[in-house]
Amino acid sequence: MSNLENDIKYLKGVGEHRSKLLHKLNIFTIRDLMEHFPRDYINRRSAYKIRDLKLDQNCSFVGIIVSVEKKQFSRKKNQLNVVLTDGEDYLFLTWFRFGNWFLNQFENGKQIWVSGVISEFRGSPQIVHPQIEVLDDEELKLSFWKTRSVLPVYHLTEGITINVMRKLVYNAFKLYADDISENLPQYILEKFTFTDRKTAMQKLHFTQHPADIHKDKIRFIFEELFFIQLMLARCKYGHEKKLNGNQFILKKTFTTKLKHSLPFQLTNAQKRVIREFVEDMTSKKQMNRLLQGDVGSGKTIVTVFAMLLAIENGFQSLMMTPTEILAEQHYRSISNLLSNQPEIKIALLKGGNSKYKRELKEKIRKGEINIIIGTHALIQKDVEFKNAGFLAIDEQHRFGVQQRSVLSHRNNNPDLIYLSATPIPRSLALTVYGDLDVSIIDELPPNRKKIETSYYNANKNSVVYDKVDEQLNLGRQAYIVCPLIQESEKIDLLDAESLYEKLKKHIFPSRKIALLHGKMKNNEKDKIMENFKNGQIDILVSTTVIEVGIDVPNACVMIIQHAERFGLSQLHQLRGRVGRGSDMSYCYLIVYPPISEEGRERLNIMIESNDGFKIAEKDLEIRGQGDFFGTQQSGIPIFKHANIIRDRQLLNTARILAFDLIEADYKLELEKNNILNKVYFKEYFEREKLFDF
Ligand code: ADP
Ligand code: MG
């Protein structure tokens, strides 16, 4: 083990207390600290004169404090004015609301660095709430940094000041720089004209010319993306090498019958995707595909084609969903699609241990059931399949723990697709699903009308309810979604139960209204969904349980209460519950001020766009990669340096290089890939398991 893996607490200057603080910055080892790169640099010999600062522009400046003045207006309201000089002119700094600890940093005669947008105050330049750094600091004066002009600026945490961080970084490099080893082979360094790893790291921390370090930053971003892509490439080629999938024959018995029974023409995109499935399934290789398509693009039907192809070859087909509601929904729509093929037996496998379930499992084991749909109930140990030939999995299972136990049942490598309920931005798909082939339905069925989307303040709810009334009079149905099930003392949000009561008693007394949420018993939920589908319910008040999959073409109004609280992909998914028939559909986003800038941006995107791929890109941009799938998605690579939105070009480059490399040298055993071999098998090989389905 190299010294770089040593616990950070043993580094000179750290110790128990500071090491705990550093953990908050994800710094656990010496190496983590060395890879904690500056987020910016300041130049304390900044050549700027105050008279050169430009109005309305973001500027930084180093000057001497000539005045510190505190004004107290009330107990909480105060103002701090600090004046800086460059020896000729004055720059005014102002803060509103500040604490004593903040005030205490300022002293006449001290040198400070400031940065912010220049405005004007009585004819002189001013910055309100600038970023600052006091350069006359004991810690700094005593350190290596005292003579440097350019100083690095780091992300910090409370208790670790900038000068402490600088000191620790310096110590780490002084003691351990020689332990830094290269992890990219010479030919790749040359291809990109990258500097060696040690030099690049030193430059990033200690540069005196911040304009020259662009390439070195790129180097570390590339590294991260490249190793992940190597891993994905190995997963993909590893699968393909096995070559032990089933080789089906397109017998066209059940599949063709389904095609002829459809009340509509498949879109070209659907046809293309079916061809892609058929090609994989009739070849020796095991299919491993991600199926992407916008809400309502018709993913279910193409999935059923694949199911039937396996079944006409004598195999069983499975579908695993994240929720029971969705399993039931699929059960219903698949049964519908196959209603003229009664020889195909379909079952919904639920949790529990009833007599019915025991009998069902027996039938599944004997192969008397052809299509089995269920949640993770499917992968319980006591469920045995006669011969699973095809498996469709919802995206949410991609990284679940369940996936590995499913393996025990997959004794004959069924062909496999992941269905993604919402489109996934390309850059994310390449990092998370990058080992899979991808099929995309990029075309909606014809005659789909745009869903007219608008937003209203909560005090305009009655206007929206009038519009709902109009649609109900035409025989249509509506959804109303609330963020909570029950009233909560902690958060002041409209909940489904209260809204349901209110609508029933006061607003729509003559309509049939029902409540649906995740805490209800399954048979209750079934009953309600069934009645809504039959048109016996006019308005369904629900939580986001209806988010995925629900398909009721007669419902044409979607009201989302507290729309400001939902993420973009979720809003789009909810909106996708309407617009499934040929009627004009409406989505009303009801918002409860105050609404953040970001919230407003989300709402505007919803109004402008109906395109799920575009919305997903925006969502990723706004929320960042960590939050896109929610927190449980442990398998998403966490990048220290890369940002897959900003760096998507580089991601593509790294991907092509990695895939070509692994295709030629799967085990990384060529001489020229020696370094990669060492690094990969030490640091990344373990993670392949996450992807090994
Ligand atoms: P997704 O799962 O992609 O959101 P579904 O498969 O549930 O979409 O299909 C949505 C609706 O569109 C269903 O009612 C389905 O019957 C219908 N549909 C699917 N394909 C077509 C098509 N080619 N033409 C017309 N309607 C279609
Ligand atoms: Mg669907």
Side-chain angles (χ1 to χ4, degrees):
M1 204 171 84
S2 116
N3 287 322
L4 300 186
E5 306 306 324
N6 286 353
D7 192 321
I8 190 69
K9 77 177 167 202
Y10 300 119
L11 177 69
K12 184 175 166 226
V14 181
E16 283 298 339
H17 178 66
R18 278 182 178 163
S19 82
K20 290 216 178 74
L21 300 174
L22 289 169
H23 290 175
K24 291 190 194 148
L25 293 166
N26 283 323
I27 298 173
F28 297 91
T29 62
I30 310 265
R31 169 169 149 162
D32 293 336
L33 178 68
M34 290 171 130
E35 290 182 20
H36 187 67
F37 295 137
R39 64 175 172 83
D40 203 354
Y41 301 88
I42 63 176
N43 187 344
R44 57 169 153 180
R45 313 243 191 285
S46 153
Y48 284 119
K49 285 290 183 183
I50 287 175
R51 79 173 82 91
D52 297 329
L53 297 175
K54 298 225 162 51
L55 199 63
D56 294 328
Q57 291 200 357
N58 205 332
C59 300
S60 50
F61 173 73
V62 174
I64 305 288
I65 300 175
V66 290
S67 148
V68 180
E69 175 199 27
K70 175 185 164 182
K71 288 183 184 166
Q72 194 75 37
F73 300 111
S74 67
R75 219 165 60 83
K76 277 193 181 155
K77 271 178 116 179
N78 55 15
Q79 182 179 338
L80 173 62
N81 297 318
V82 172
V83 184
L84 292 190
T85 185
D86 58 2
E88 292 167 21
D89 299 292
Y90 297 99
L91 172 64
F92 291 79
L93 310 177
T94 302
W95 289 266
F96 300 97
R97 285 169 194 255
F98 57 93
N100 273 336
W101 63 272
F102 187 75
L103 174 69
N104 292 339
Q105 312 178 80
F106 299 99
E107 246 175 70
N108 285 348
K110 274 196 175 179
Q111 191 188 37
I112 68 169
W113 170 90
V114 293
S115 168
V117 178
I118 307 292
S119 53
E120 203 180 290
F121 174 71
R122 291 186 189 157
S124 291
Q126 167 184 248
I127 308 180
V128 178
H129 286 203
Q131 285 190 64
I132 62 139
E133 190 183 317
V134 179
L135 296 173
D136 281 324
D137 175 289
E138 284 310 305
E139 197 89 51
L140 186 67
K141 275 188 196 148
L142 295 174
S143 74
F144 155 84
W145 299 97
K146 64 181 176 289
T147 58
R148 313 281 287 178
S149 304
V150 171
L151 301 176
V153 179
Y154 296 95
H155 283 290
L156 300 171
T157 186
E158 209 179 320
I160 301 282
T161 65
I162 184 71
N163 286 313
V164 167
M165 183 62 93
R166 286 179 187 140
K167 187 173 85 179
L168 298 179
V169 167
Y170 173 75
N171 288 350
F173 276 87
K174 188 171 166 208
L175 296 166
Y176 300 111
D178 288 340
D179 289 280
I180 299 170
S181 53
E182 186 50 64
N183 63 6
L184 294 175
Q186 191 58 33
Y187 72 96
I188 292 183
L189 294 180
E190 278 165 19
K191 181 179 162 77
F192 293 97
T193 57
F194 287 149
T195 322
D196 70 277
R197 199 162 199 272
K198 175 174 151 187
T199 310
M201 274 170 107
Q202 286 174 323
K203 268 173 78 184
L204 285 178
H205 289 287
F206 303 105
T207 183
Q208 292 300 294
H209 307 282
D212 297 347
I213 53 156
H214 181 68
K215 217 29 182 293
D216 303 288
K217 278 193 192 162
I218 299 286
R219 191 210 131 100
F220 288 94
I221 297 168
F222 172 83
E223 246 177 49
E224 274 193 323
L225 296 169
F226 179 65
F227 278 100
I228 294 287
Q229 292 301 327
L230 277 184
M231 182 181 76
L232 293 167
R234 276 184 48 91
C235 292
K236 181 166 164 49
Y237 293 119
H239 274 310
E240 286 176 8
K241 266 184 199 304
K242 287 187 205 150
L243 284 180
N244 54 358
N246 296 305
Q247 188 168 13
F248 297 129
I249 297 163
L250 186 58
K251 299 193 171 162
K252 296 198 172 182
T253 40
F254 301 144
T255 41
T256 302
K257 213 163 161 193
L258 170 64
K259 201 164 120 192
H260 292 318
S261 71
L262 291 176
F264 45 73
Q265 290 270 313
L266 293 172
T267 61
N268 286 327
Q270 284 173 314
K271 286 184 198 157
R272 186 190 63 236
V273 168
I274 291 173
R275 272 201 305 277
E276 287 164 356
F277 287 174
V278 171
E279 208 160 287
D280 279 5
M281 293 176 76
T282 55
S283 82
K284 264 193 209 149
K285 82 175 222 203
Q286 181 196 10
M287 174 159 75
N288 269 293
R289 269 187 189 276
L290 172 67
L291 171 57
Q292 287 223 67
D294 206 344
V295 211
S297 60
K299 295 183 288 283
T300 314
I301 288 152
V302 299
T303 308
V304 174
F305 265 97
M307 290 182 155
L308 295 189
L309 178 52
I311 295 168
E312 59 190 24
N313 282 270
F315 284 82
Q316 291 169 306
S317 289
L318 322 179
M319 178 169 223
M320 191 157 85
T321 65
T323 65
E324 289 222 342
I325 284 208
L326 192 50
E328 281 151 22
Q329 173 71 35
H330 277 303
Y331 174 72
R332 236 175 263 128
S333 49
I334 292 173
S335 301
N336 246 335
L337 280 170
L338 299 177
S339 57
N340 67 335
Q341 307 204 55
E343 61 275 38
I344 299 172
K345 304 289 183 228
I346 311 169
L348 180 61
L349 188 71
K350 298 192 185 185
N353 190 23
S354 58
K355 176 153 174 269
Y356 168 78
K357 194 182 162 192
R358 284 194 300 276
E359 284 169 9
L360 183 59
K361 281 190 294 194
E362 189 54 22
K363 285 188 194 160
I364 290 172
R365 199 180 57 78
K366 285 191 190 144
E368 288 165 21
I369 308 278
N370 310 101
I371 297 180
I372 304 112
I373 301 163
T375 58
H376 50 277
L378 274 191
I379 53 172
Q380 275 155 17
K381 281 213 185 62
D382 60 341
V383 183
E384 267 178 70
F385 302 102
K386 179 165 181 246
N387 53 5
F390 172 80
L391 172 61
I393 302 175
D394 188 275
E395 70 175 60
Q396 297 179 39
H397 287 278
R398 176 68 166 114
F399 294 102
V401 245
Q402 294 101 332
Q403 68 182 50
R404 258 150 286 164
S405 53
V406 101
L407 271 171
S408 55
H409 292 303
R410 295 175 59 244
N411 32 28
N412 43 13
N413 292 332
D415 283 315
L416 188 150
I417 62 164
Y418 291 96
L419 273 160
S420 122
T422 23
I424 302 166
R426 189 181 134 76
S427 53
L428 197 56
L430 286 185
T431 39
V432 180
Y433 296 93
D435 57 326
L436 307 180
D437 296 312
V438 181
S439 288
I440 299 183
I441 309 185
D442 48 5
E443 179 185 2
L444 289 179
N447 309 326
R448 283 280 160 80
K449 297 231 171 70
K450 184 174 184 281
I451 303 165
E452 211 174 274
T453 306
S454 45
Y455 72 83
Y456 287 86
N457 264 348
N459 59 11
K460 292 274 170 32
N461 252 321
S462 61
V463 176
V464 174
Y465 293 144
D466 285 346
K467 293 177 192 267
V468 173
D469 217 41
E470 277 171 34
Q471 292 300 314
L472 298 186
N473 283 336
L474 296 171
R476 312 272 143 71
Q477 293 160 281
Y479 298 97
I480 307 184
V481 174
C482 295
L484 295 181
I485 300 177
Q486 281 168 332
E487 207 175 337
S488 157
E489 285 183 357
K490 294 203 195 87
I491 353 174
D492 188 21
L493 296 179
L494 187 59
D495 63 282
E497 280 184 355
S498 319
L499 181 65
Y500 166 70
E501 293 298 333
K502 183 173 158 196
L503 293 175
K504 207 167 59 162
K505 285 198 192 113
H506 306 297
I507 298 171
F508 296 105
S510 63
R511 304 287 185 184
K512 283 157 288 175
I513 306 182
L515 177 67
L516 182 78
H517 59 69
K519 286 207 179 130
M520 291 161 79
K521 293 223 179 67
N522 285 330
N523 51 358
E524 269 179 281
K525 280 190 276 189
D526 286 358
K527 187 92 201 133
I528 288 166
M529 273 324 296
E530 186 109 18
N531 287 341
F532 190 63
K533 197 141 195 176
N534 297 338
Q536 291 174 37
I537 293 170
D538 300 313
I539 301 175
L540 188 63
V541 180
S542 102
T543 56
T544 54
V545 287
I546 60 147
E547 182 180 337
V548 269
I550 308 289
D551 185 23
V552 181
N554 191 49
C556 73
V557 182
M558 166 62 68
I559 298 179
I560 304 172
Q561 297 286 351
H562 285 286
E564 77 282 359
R565 313 259 320 172
F566 293 100
L568 265 178
S569 294
Q570 204 176 14
L571 289 173
H572 180 63
Q573 187 60 241
L574 285 167
R575 177 171 62 181
R577 296 311 104 213
V578 298
R580 308 196 135 233
S582 47
D583 295 327
M584 185 70 206
S585 290
Y586 305 88
C587 176
Y588 300 108
L589 306 168
I590 312 290
V591 298
Y592 293 69
I595 300 159
S596 65
E597 192 61 29
E598 191 193 301
R600 214 165 278 286
E601 197 183 335
R602 282 200 300 264
L603 297 169
N604 283 328
I605 293 164
M606 284 297 291
I607 286 164
E608 279 159 25
S609 181
N610 262 308
D611 176 343
F613 283 93
K614 229 187 246 164
I615 290 175
E617 288 284 347
K618 281 284 178 195
D619 198 18
L620 180 61
E621 231 172 86
I622 294 176
R623 282 204 282 170
Q625 60 209 35
D627 287 336
F628 186 78
F629 285 121
T631 42
Q632 295 103 323
Q633 297 293 333
S634 53
I636 296 181
I638 309 280
F639 294 116
K640 262 193 212 164
H641 311 301
N643 171 326
I644 57 175
I645 305 156
R646 183 195 61 200
D647 305 322
R648 51 191 133 198
Q649 270 322 93
L650 196 59
L651 168 64
N652 274 332
T653 310
R655 180 173 173 86
I656 292 167
L657 186 66
F659 274 67
D660 286 350
L661 196 152
I662 293 297
E663 194 174 5
D665 183 16
Y666 176 71
K667 293 185 176 158
L668 299 170
E669 48 195 3
L670 295 181
E671 171 83 35
K672 64 172 187 172
N673 292 328
N674 244 340
I675 290 187
L676 290 178
N677 183 304
K678 261 202 297 206
V679 176
Y680 185 84
F681 287 99
K682 189 169 143 240
E683 293 171 33
Y684 291 86
F685 182 57
E686 274 299 300
R687 291 166 69 176
E688 275 185 26
K689 284 191 198 131
L690 261 181
F691 290 79
D692 182 24
F693 209 104

PDB file of all heavy atoms in Angstrom, residues 299-300 330 549, ligand 2:
ATOM      1  N   LYS A 299     -43.780   2.006 -25.256  1.00  0.00           N
ATOM      2  CA  LYS A 299     -42.727   1.056 -24.908  1.00  0.00           C
ATOM      3  C   LYS A 299     -43.314  -0.312 -24.559  1.00  0.00           C
ATOM      4  O   LYS A 299     -42.683  -1.333 -24.753  1.00  0.00           O
ATOM      5  CB  LYS A 299     -41.897   1.582 -23.725  1.00  0.00           C
ATOM      6  CG  LYS A 299     -41.129   2.850 -24.063  1.00  0.00           C
ATOM      7  CD  LYS A 299     -40.262   3.330 -22.912  1.00  0.00           C
ATOM      8  CE  LYS A 299     -41.063   3.911 -21.764  1.00  0.00           C
ATOM      9  NZ  LYS A 299     -41.565   5.271 -22.001  1.00  0.00           N
ATOM     10  N   THR A 300     -44.546  -0.285 -24.028  1.00  0.00           N
ATOM     11  CA  THR A 300     -45.140  -1.548 -23.594  1.00  0.00           C
ATOM     12  C   THR A 300     -45.289  -2.529 -24.757  1.00  0.00           C
ATOM     13  O   THR A 300     -44.932  -3.703 -24.640  1.00  0.00           O
ATOM     14  CB  THR A 300     -46.518  -1.301 -22.954  1.00  0.00           C
ATOM     15  OG1 THR A 300     -46.397  -0.216 -22.043  1.00  0.00           O
ATOM     16  CG2 THR A 300     -47.013  -2.526 -22.225  1.00  0.00           C
ATOM     17  N   HIS A 330     -49.368  -3.042 -15.784  1.00  0.00           N
ATOM     18  CA  HIS A 330     -48.808  -3.810 -16.899  1.00  0.00           C
ATOM     19  C   HIS A 330     -49.591  -5.094 -17.113  1.00  0.00           C
ATOM     20  O   HIS A 330     -49.832  -5.493 -18.245  1.00  0.00           O
ATOM     21  CB  HIS A 330     -47.342  -4.152 -16.626  1.00  0.00           C
ATOM     22  CG  HIS A 330     -46.412  -3.042 -16.978  1.00  0.00           C
ATOM     23  ND1 HIS A 330     -46.362  -2.492 -18.233  1.00  0.00           N
ATOM     24  CD2 HIS A 330     -45.498  -2.370 -16.256  1.00  0.00           C
ATOM     25  CE1 HIS A 330     -45.457  -1.530 -18.261  1.00  0.00           C
ATOM     26  NE2 HIS A 330     -44.915  -1.429 -17.062  1.00  0.00           N
ATOM     27  N   GLY A 549     -46.507   4.754 -15.480  1.00  0.00           N
ATOM     28  CA  GLY A 549     -47.200   3.656 -16.139  1.00  0.00           C
ATOM     29  C   GLY A 549     -48.702   3.748 -16.293  1.00  0.00           C
ATOM     30  O   GLY A 549     -49.256   3.209 -17.239  1.00  0.00           O
TER      31      GLY A 549
HETATM   32 MG    MG B   2     -45.551   1.894 -20.112  1.00  0.00          MG
END
